[in-house]
Every structure is written in structure tokens, then in C-alpha cells.
Amino acid sequence: MLEAYRDIAPQTTLDEIRALAEVLQGRTIQHINSTRSGGGVAEILRRFVPLTESLGIRARWDVISGPPEFYEVTKAFHNALQGGEADFAARDFDIYLACVKENAARLTLAGDVIVVHDPQPAYLLEYTRPDGAHAVWRCHIDVSRPHERVWRFLRRAVAKYEAAIFHVPQFAQDLPIPQLLIAPSIDPLSDKNRELTDAEVTAVTDRFGIDRRRPILVQVSRFDRFKDPLGVIAAYRLVRQTFDCQLVLAGGGADDDPEGAEVLAEVQAAAAGDPDVFVLELAADSHVAINALQRAATVVLQKSLREGFGLTVAEALWKGTPVVAGAVGGIPTQVFNGVNGFLVHSPEGAAFRLRYLLSHPKQARRMGSRGREHVRRNFLITRHLRDYLLLMITCLYGTKASGPLQLTGGTVEPAVR
Amino acid sequence: MPHDARTSRSLIGPFEFRKAAILVEATPMRAGSISQLLTGVTLATELSIFYHLHQHFLVDPNILPEYPNDFARWVAQHLGNGVVAERLANLNLFRAANLQEIRHEITVALAQYLAHTSDRRQVQPGLEFIFCQPRILVLPCRETAATPEAFLEALRTVDIQSIAYHLFESKVVPTGARNDFTRWFEALGFTDLADRLDTFDPYLNSLEDNRNYLVKLIADGLRRHNHA
């Protein structure tokens, strides 16, 4: 399976994966999360598990389950941990704990290394702890400004793991355990990121009435105030004073998100009457359409005011499209200002950089190509897999940054010169 | 000295190209001002100092950023203090024999600034400098070189992270100021080439530029050596 990434991912990463896998033969990594479909975690695990197995390492993927009220509580936790305001009753915590306890009785924890993903199953270790296994908690959300009560509750569980893993340093917390950093990734073979023919791209733009002969500015994101879609429209209006361009704001449906629907209505009102602004509500599985829009774009925007990691930036850069993005969350680790795109702080800043890129197409192409290379080295699923193998070795061979280890002849030992 | 070189070659083993795979750990230490940065640099592990001085080489081998280390970049970007940022950009990493020397240089630069200013600027919450440190696993590369000519060929194509490892790793495991490449050629008796390699400052270029420069330098050195 790893072969599928040859000529796409860096050969050195593939070599590292094979070298690391050699010392992990017959070991088991077990992933536990809360859903087998939908969402970024399930998407990545669906690829990780067979890839890991293909390397001779056993991979298990177990999913906790619960009644709808459990998921209502965990969704509220999820939002609160990302800074949302919420009130919780003692009953909410009871519902959560009872459900995790039931799952602990049902699940077999059987990995050499057990990775528990996100808050939903975090309390599992409270009720079951297999002998000799190394358990780590993997956080996929931005907990840099969490709801205090919910974080305090979660922290009690997380502190019992051997380590916690966050996307970027800014998400790390005050914890008594090591906090490792593993950035998320995109899969270059997925529908959202695979190569498309020009005809496939045109089919999508034609479907929405977008003119590929004129510059296209695209922002792909939920209709959410933190993504600043109104700021994007403001920037576009400033650019329109000198450039005949189009703006595409593409986001998921907002049926289950009252605030999303409200923001969408505001965006539609702001765009009303301008035939060159396309506000697209796309279904959750519109991966090829998003891929095509990012490829058709002259510049991709991600003008977030607050962001988790912002993987849509990596997706755009992977397609060789330069990006103008807010300097927040994980975006500065993806966009080097002036190298593969621009970091901005205001609609005016975005407009200025957009005008620059539209008037310097060669420079824009060069930035796009640097962006693709940056993603190839740092944000593909192969690098992510390599990091998980390193994590396994770190857990199994017990380094605590006291000194380097070295891999020699299929074993791991302290590094000597 | 061709004679010395031949004698040495039989004693010196092939050059084994290696590289480091790293997993990064965020430590609890954070700094929101110059004085907190001074405290952090004083208390941080040596590996943490190493990481913040070299990590840009790991992220993108084609780029030499405006500020060549995390300390300088953070001071410039988030504290808006160009004077201190430039002092931190101008560290003499190349000649420092070990990380203690580098730590000392940073702390002196920060302490001297603080001694002569009332600057107490503090970054906004969320923009603090977070001290990280690497967990390092050293891996062998495919390439080994038994002769200088084979070394040159391998250098042209070896994983760029291997070049980073051999240029900078001597700062983590002190072996004197000279890097692995210099010491290997020196041991083989290529003293002129070793001396020229020793005057080359890899901190002034991107990693790929370093590769190109090394290839040119070594090709030229071997030509001269063979000619002599």
C-alpha cells in the first residue's frame, strides 16, 4: 500500500517509514475513537489502519458507542473545549461517565500502544487499564482557550495517560505528562486531493456558472464567523476596484448548526446582486467539487480570525495554488509569509496581497509551487504515519528527550558516536 | 599530502550517512517578554535550545528565513523588537563548540539589552514563545562512501536531512566545533579541503544551498588534491 505513494510523497519519508516499521514488526497499535465514518479522525484512521497493517504492524481500530444523549453531551464538550460558551449540569457529566464506563467493559484494550482520540473516549483509562500497554491521548481540536469547567473535567482523565498529542504548540496545555506535537495531514490519493484533469475541473466550474477565463478567488470553509466570510467579501470588493475577478465562498450545509445558518444568511445578503460572487452550499461528500474549486482558483483565501490547524490551507497549497490566510492557529506553520502565500490580519491586508498576486502571475505560480513542495514534505499522510511510528518507538523504548536514540540493525538503543 | 592521505584511508572507515527523525515535545515553559525569554533560555534543556536554532532547516530545506532561528523570529514578529531580533539573528552558531556556549551568547545578548532599557513589552495572550524539544531517533541512510569520490557522488543525492544531521549534530554531541564532513576529510589526510570545509558557515544558507556549495567545494578540493 505504501507503494501507492511512491513518486508522490518524499522517498525519504517512505524510507523512514520502512526503517521504523522494521523494529515494530509484530507490535500492535490500537486506535480508539467515537465514530467509524464522518469527520477527519475517521477519515485518517480509515487510511492509517490498512497502511500500518501493510507494514507488518498490527493495527486495531475500535469505536465507542452510546445513546444519542451521550453524543449531545460530547458535542457540547467539543464546542466548549474550542472556546464556545455553554452551561453544563452535573447530569451531563454523569451521562458521559456512565457511557464511557459501559464501553470500557465492552472494549478489549489490546495494543502495545493505545491511541485514544479526542474527548469522547478519554475517560476509558479511568475504568480499564491493560497491563504493559502505553496509552496516549490524541487531541484533534483547538483547546488553546477551553471552557474551564469542561477542561478541568477532561484534564483529570488526560493526566493519567503516558503522553498527550496536540497539533501545534499553541494547543498544548498545563498537564503533568509529556505533550507531543504531531501535525495533521492530507491524503494526496483521496478524492479531495487527487489529481484532476482539466476537464474534470471545468465540469465543476461550469456546473456552478464560474468563468475560468477570469481570476477566481476561493474560500472553502464552514459558514462560521471565525472564518470571516464577510471579511472575505469586503476584501473581494476592494480587489474588484481594479481587477475583474470572481469570488467563490464554498461551505458545508448548515442544517444542524443554527449559527451557521445565520452566518450563511448574512453572507448571502452581503453577496446579493453581485453575479460574480458564488455562495455555494456543498454536501458533506462534495470532495471532488472542493478539489476542483481549489484547483480552479487563482488564489485561495482562508481569512480566518480563529483557526484550529486549518487543513484547507494545506489542501490548496498541495494543488499549487497560492494562499492568502489569517495569521492564526496552525496557519503560520503552513504559510510562510511571502514565500508560499501571505499572512494577513484584515480585509485590507487580504485585498493588498490579492491584488499583488493577481498582478504577478509568475510570482503567484512560484509561490504555489513552493507551497506544494512544503505540503509534500510536511503535511502528507505519509509524514503523519511516520510520526505515529516514531510515537510507538518513543513509547516502547522510553526516551524522555534525555538523549537521542539510534536505530541500528533493527534495534533501538541510545545513540553513540 | 597524498602520502598521508593514502595511509589514513586504510585506517578510516567509510562515511556512513545518517539522519535524524524527530518527534517534537512542547515543554511547559513559555515566555511572553524579553525577560521571560531570558529565564526560559537559561532553564531550557540543551536539546530545546538546539531545536529552536535549527528547526527551520528541518521544515523547509529550500528556505533561509528572514530571521534564522525561532528566538529572533518571535522577538521580531510578536514583540516587535527589531534590535533584539537582530542580535539573536547574529549569533555565532558556526564557531560555537557546543550548546552551552550558544546558550551563554543568547543570555548575554538578552541580559545586556535588559540592563540598558526599560522595555517591558509583553505579547498578547496566545502569542507566547513555547519552548519545545525534540525526541531524536538517528537512522542510517542508504548511502555510505568509502572514498572521497564516492562521498562526493553520495552528497549530490543523499537525503537533505542527512546533510543537516552531519552539519549540525556536532552541536548536540560535542566533538569540537568541526562538523562530521570536515573531520572525515581531515582524518583521510585531506587537510586543505578540511580547512576549507571548516571555514564554511552553513548557517548563512538554506540546506539545499549548503548542499550545492559543499558539492562545489569538495569537487574543487579533490581536483586540487589529485593535481598536487
Side-chain angles (χ1 to χ4, degrees):
Chain A
M1 276 194 82
L2 200 59
E3 267 305 288
Y5 294 90
R6 196 157 59 99
D7 301 329
I8 299 174
Q11 183 59 43
T12 59
T13 309
L14 303 181
D15 288 347
E16 286 169 18
I17 288 171
R18 291 193 180 96
L20 297 173
E22 203 178 311
V23 292
L24 294 168
Q25 291 299 295
R27 298 284 197 169
T28 303
I29 184 166
Q30 181 179 23
H31 295 278
I32 301 173
N33 77 322
S34 64
T35 174
R36 209 170 279 281
S37 62
V41 180
E43 201 176 306
I44 203 85
L45 289 179
R46 202 172 308 123
R47 295 295 295 172
F48 263 175
V49 168
L51 266 171
T52 310
E53 290 273 356
S54 77
L55 295 166
I57 301 163
R58 288 197 290 267
R60 288 184 59 145
W61 177 11
D62 292 288
V63 174
I64 61 164
S65 58
E69 57 182 1
F70 170 73
Y71 290 105
E72 279 163 26
V73 170
T74 57
K75 187 176 180 190
F77 281 2
H78 179 98
N79 292 338
L81 287 165
Q82 296 203 94
E85 289 297 321
D87 286 326
F88 293 95
R91 184 173 175 273
D92 296 325
F93 296 96
D94 293 342
I95 289 168
Y96 172 86
L97 291 174
C99 183
V100 176
K101 190 175 182 181
E102 277 173 33
N103 277 281
R106 184 178 59 79
L107 286 175
T108 306
L109 299 194
D112 293 298
V113 174
I114 299 168
V115 185
V116 175
H117 296 264
D118 276 340
Q120 296 92 334
Y123 259 84
L124 275 176
L125 285 202
E126 195 75 8
Y127 304 112
T128 176
R129 182 180 277 274
D131 291 340
H134 302 269
V136 297
W137 182 64
R138 182 20 158 167
C139 180
H140 293 269
I141 58 177
D142 173 0
V143 289
S144 56
R145 279 171 280 185
H147 184 286
E148 202 183 325
R149 186 177 175 200
V150 177
W151 172 249
R152 246 192 350 257
F153 171 73
L154 184 63
R155 188 181 183 280
R156 279 200 294 276
V158 172
K160 293 185 176 161
Y161 286 79
E162 191 166 310
I165 307 170
F166 296 95
H167 286 338
V168 290
Q170 290 78 8
F171 298 173
Q173 287 293 317
D174 174 23
L175 284 167
I177 56 173
Q179 298 180 68
L180 303 171
L181 305 174
I182 297 181
S185 62
I186 62 168
D187 183 354
L189 301 180
S190 68
D191 275 348
K192 207 189 274 181
N193 298 299
R194 67 176 169 82
E195 294 300 319
L196 295 181
T197 63
D198 204 49
E200 285 177 295
V201 175
T202 303
V204 171
T205 51
D206 283 354
R207 175 151 59 98
F208 296 119
I210 300 163
D211 178 4
R212 287 195 72 190
R213 291 165 302 180
R214 291 189 293 143
I216 305 168
L217 314 177
V218 173
Q219 173 156 307
V220 176
S221 63
R222 293 193 315 276
F223 292 102
D224 176 330
R225 289 206 170 82
F226 285 136
K227 311 295 180 188
D228 198 18
L230 296 178
V232 171
I233 293 176
Y236 154 80
R237 294 250 153 84
L238 292 170
V239 175
R240 274 286 291 205
Q241 292 172 10
T242 42
F243 284 94
D244 175 22
C245 59
Q246 304 157 90
L247 173 66
V248 180
L249 288 161
D255 299 347
D256 64 340
D257 179 358
E259 191 185 83
E262 200 177 295
V263 175
L264 175 61
E266 288 169 17
V267 169
Q268 283 167 332
D274 187 336
D276 284 330
V277 179
F278 300 84
V279 181
L280 309 179
E281 278 185 85
L282 300 177
D285 61 352
S286 306
H287 303 311
V288 175
I290 289 170
N291 187 343
L293 290 171
Q294 288 168 330
R295 287 177 192 280
T298 317
V299 183
V300 162
L301 284 131
Q302 189 59 55
K303 218 201 85 50
S304 304
L305 304 172
R306 182 145 178 221
E307 190 54 83
F309 191 79
L311 261 185
T312 49
V313 170
E315 287 168 13
L317 292 174
W318 175 243
K319 284 131 196 164
T321 309
V323 171
V324 172
V328 292
I331 290 175
T333 67
Q334 301 172 74
V335 174
F336 293 150
N337 198 27
V339 175
N340 57 13
F342 289 107
L343 296 172
V344 297
H345 304 84
S346 65
E348 291 78 9
F352 171 61
R353 298 308 190 181
L354 288 166
R355 286 194 293 119
Y356 174 85
L357 289 168
L358 293 179
S359 59
H360 293 77
K362 266 191 193 165
Q363 178 69 357
R365 274 196 298 277
R366 201 174 308 134
M367 283 186 162
S369 130
R370 285 179 186 149
R372 180 176 168 93
E373 182 58 20
H374 182 51
V375 172
R376 199 174 79 87
R377 288 181 180 280
N378 296 290
F379 301 114
L380 294 188
I381 189 173
T382 39
R383 188 278 308 152
H384 203 165
L385 177 63
R386 192 267 323 263
D387 285 355
Y388 266 98
L389 301 185
L390 269 174
L391 170 73
M392 287 184 77
I393 288 176
T394 299
C395 288
L396 293 167
Y397 294 92
T399 175
K400 285 198 167 181
S402 54
L405 293 173
Q406 69 181 12
L407 197 157
T408 319
T411 61
V412 177
E413 53 196 31
V416 288
R417 291 175 62 84
Chain B
M1 291 186 289
H3 176 71
D4 287 344
R6 279 194 298 274
T7 310
S8 296
R9 277 187 214 194
S10 60
L11 299 173
I12 301 299
F15 191 94
E16 292 175 5
F17 286 89
R18 297 171 170 201
K19 64 180 170 180
I22 70 165
L23 201 54
V24 181
E25 178 181 353
T27 76
M29 266 197 299
R30 293 174 184 227
S33 64
I34 299 280
S35 61
Q36 288 173 6
L37 185 65
L38 173 58
T39 307
V41 169
T42 307
L43 298 175
T45 62
E46 288 190 352
L47 277 175
S48 176
I49 303 284
F50 176 83
Y51 174 77
H52 290 296
L53 295 172
H54 295 88
Q55 69 110 359
H56 72 85
F57 285 116
L58 309 176
V59 171
D60 194 326
N62 295 298
I63 294 172
L64 181 66
E66 182 183 7
Y67 288 100
N69 62 65
D70 291 350
F71 302 121
R73 187 165 52 255
W74 179 77
V75 168
Q77 285 180 356
H78 296 308
L79 281 175
N81 190 328
V83 172
V84 175
E86 287 174 6
R87 285 185 195 173
L88 294 173
N90 193 41
L91 298 172
N92 193 5
L93 301 184
F94 171 49
R95 279 296 164 211
N98 54 51
L99 288 162
Q100 289 98 306
E101 277 186 25
I102 299 170
R103 188 204 300 269
H104 180 70
E105 197 182 343
I106 300 171
T107 53
V108 167
L110 297 175
Q112 279 180 346
Y113 175 78
L114 289 169
H116 295 99
T117 179
S118 55
D119 180 3
R120 295 291 176 265
R121 267 177 276 186
Q122 187 86 22
V123 294
Q124 290 172 8
L127 296 178
E128 294 87 356
F129 187 93
I130 300 169
F131 285 84
C132 297
Q133 59 187 5
R135 295 186 176 200
I136 298 174
L137 179 67
V138 180
L139 302 163
C141 295
R142 292 174 180 180
E143 293 84 352
T144 59
T147 66
E149 292 75 19
F151 180 96
L152 181 60
E153 281 315 300
L155 191 64
R156 292 181 201 277
T157 55
V158 74
D159 183 349
I160 193 69
Q161 293 309 330
S162 176
I163 293 177
Y165 175 80
H166 291 293
L167 285 178
F168 307 127
E169 190 247 6
S170 59
K171 299 282 188 268
V172 179
V173 185
T175 50
R178 295 191 150 196
N179 65 53
D180 289 351
F181 298 149
T182 306
R183 287 187 294 111
W184 191 69
F185 277 104
E186 189 177 32
L188 285 179
F190 288 76
T191 47
D192 286 349
L193 175 56
D195 287 344
R196 292 181 72 198
L197 285 169
D198 193 41
T199 58
F200 155 63
D201 183 349
Y203 290 97
L204 300 178
N205 309 295
S206 73
L207 260 187
E208 281 296 353
D209 286 343
N210 280 332
R211 183 208 297 271
N212 295 334
Y213 188 78
L214 284 168
V215 164
K216 208 171 143 192
L217 198 66
I218 292 168
D220 186 50
L222 295 185
R223 252 194 317 274
R224 285 177 192 218
H225 187 85
N226 293 335
H227 187 67

